[in-house]
Amino acid sequence: MTPPPPGTVILSPHFDDAALSLAGLIPRLPGPVTVVTVYGGEPASHHRVSWWDSVCGFSTAREAYRSRLTEDARACALMGVGSVALDHPDGPYADGTPLTAIDAYLAEQPSDTLLLIPVSTNQSDHQKVRDRALAVTAKLGRATPMFYADLPYTGHLDEWGSAGADDALGRSHQYGLAYQDMASRHDLRLEHELTLTDEQWALKRAAVLCYGSQLAALTIDHGMVMARNGPLRAERVWAVGPGAKDS
């Protein structure tokens, strides 16, 4: 009997990051696709609600967490992906614990599983996930993961969605520092680029709207995040080393 394909794992720092960044490209990735939320653990009962969760309208940390689990289940069902929540509370509730849940999860995956991690534009939680995943895969002797442009952060680049996006990231001191850091360490080659059609955008919008509890708060820093020509309109993934290709 032929074993099932290894498929794709997307490390999503928070419950909405995979949908925001990759909902359009997910159908192109080798299946089955699993979205793994790293900061997916329930906060301890002693924690007061964080500023972010309060702005999102929640009264307690656990209320926010349980609502987001429900939102994530809906979004993942719409995107046709599996979902896993690692037992690590979100940043304000983490109590300084390291991201060791990533180690155990990745060690259990087939060695040829395709792994996607955020390039980590202007977001410290994303950087922690990226750096931990890189360290773990190196220790396991696995291939370097692919990097995806985390949205909406990277998508505020003026050239976003154009053929010159990579060159612009290589020059930008506002939105390109994470890309420049990874490009200085790895041979980054564009693997996937997608400017969403109206049909693809409608499907992505539906998935992102599942995370409705956070959308109002996102506008504080990201303005018209749900605009048709806003920062979510294009998606980008880079592979490392020989054999990578544009698509």
Side-chain angles (χ1 to χ4, degrees), residues 126-187:
H126 293 208
Q127 182 177 343
K128 292 172 185 175
V129 170
R130 180 199 72 192
D131 291 348
R132 189 78 184 194
L134 288 172
V136 173
T137 52
K139 184 177 180 180
L140 293 171
R142 307 275 177 86
T144 304
M146 291 186 184
F147 297 95
Y148 65 85
D150 28 9
L151 304 178
Y153 309 95
T154 321
H156 291 297
L157 186 79
D158 288 341
E159 295 84 356
W160 192 245
S162 74
D166 282 8
D167 287 341
L169 284 172
R171 298 188 305 268
S172 175
H173 294 291
Q174 188 170 9
Y175 303 114
L177 295 181
Y179 172 84
Q180 293 162 30
D181 182 20
M182 291 300 97
S184 72
R185 301 191 226 171
H186 307 284
D187 178 19

Side-chain angles (χ1 to χ4, degrees), residues 92 105 134 146 182 197 240 246:
Y105 181 84
L134 288 172
M146 291 186 184
M182 291 300 97
T197 65
V240 173
D246 294 355

Side-chain angles (χ1 to χ4, degrees), residues 11-53:
L11 287 191
S12 180
H14 307 103
F15 281 116
D16 57 352
D17 289 313
L20 288 166
S21 303
L22 291 167
L25 281 173
I26 279 173
R28 297 188 185 184
L29 303 175
V33 176
T34 303
V35 171
V36 178
T37 301
V38 176
Y39 291 100
E42 186 169 11
S45 58
H46 68 270
H47 282 292
R48 299 184 64 178
V49 67
S50 69
W51 173 86
W52 177 263
D53 287 340

Side-chain angles (χ1 to χ4, degrees), residues 36-88:
V36 178
T37 301
V38 176
Y39 291 100
E42 186 169 11
S45 58
H46 68 270
H47 282 292
R48 299 184 64 178
V49 67
S50 69
W51 173 86
W52 177 263
D53 287 340
S54 177
V55 169
C56 291
F58 296 109
S59 301
T60 70
R62 287 187 166 179
E63 179 192 13
Y65 170 75
R66 289 163 184 167
S67 177
R68 297 223 171 91
L69 273 180
T70 301
E71 291 176 338
D72 189 58
R74 292 179 187 140
C76 288
L78 279 178
M79 293 187 291
V81 301
S83 61
V84 172
L86 299 185
D87 190 21
H88 192 284

